[in-house]
Amino acid sequence: MHLISAGDQMKSQEIAEWVMKCQHPSGGFGGSINHDPHMLYTLSAVQILAILDRMELIDKDKVRSIRHATLTQRGLMCSGCTGGGVRGRAAEGGRVVCGG
């Protein structure tokens, strides 16, 4: 909105409230309300709240917990491991089965 000189038209409070409704009990954020959390959506949520200068809304420990929850025993990051599915990629291009 700022890029098109319409930043004053953003409803910052409503946007921040909606973003916070997308937070999952695990700490991460989903792409919408009641969606599974994912690292990319979590990053986007944090960036949106930073742009809106509403970082005080973020429970940093809770958000940090999703990063730890998505690391496998081999130290690989899985994208959205909430149901134990095959969702990650190993550095050599293989698939990783996430346990959490």
Side-chain angles (χ1 to χ4, degrees):
M1 296 295 284
H2 292 287
L3 292 174
I4 60 171
S5 300
D8 58 332
Q9 295 178 26
M10 285 195 315
K11 297 178 180 177
S12 298
Q13 180 64 29
E14 290 178 28
I15 294 169
E17 288 173 4
W18 184 83
V19 168
M20 293 309 297
K21 287 178 184 176
C22 294
Q23 190 167 26
H24 190 269
S26 70
F29 288 80
S32 190
I33 298 167
N34 296 323
H35 285 204
D36 287 339
H38 190 283
M39 288 300 293
L40 293 175
Y41 296 129
T42 300
L43 172 62
S44 294
V46 171
Q47 290 172 329
I48 290 166
L49 294 171
I51 289 168
L52 297 175
D53 197 26
R54 297 301 308 269
M55 294 296 287
E56 77 279 0
L57 296 176
I58 297 175
D59 180 339
K60 293 173 185 73
D61 291 330
K62 197 172 182 183
V63 171
R64 237 182 256 123
S65 71
I66 191 170
R67 181 192 170 275
H68 295 294
T70 57
L71 288 174
T72 67
Q73 290 180 350
R74 292 174 47 198
L76 302 169
M77 184 69 74
C78 293
S79 57
C81 299
T82 57
V86 179
R87 297 187 183 171
R89 290 192 184 271
E92 65 274 6
R95 304 292 281 174
V96 177
V97 178
C98 301

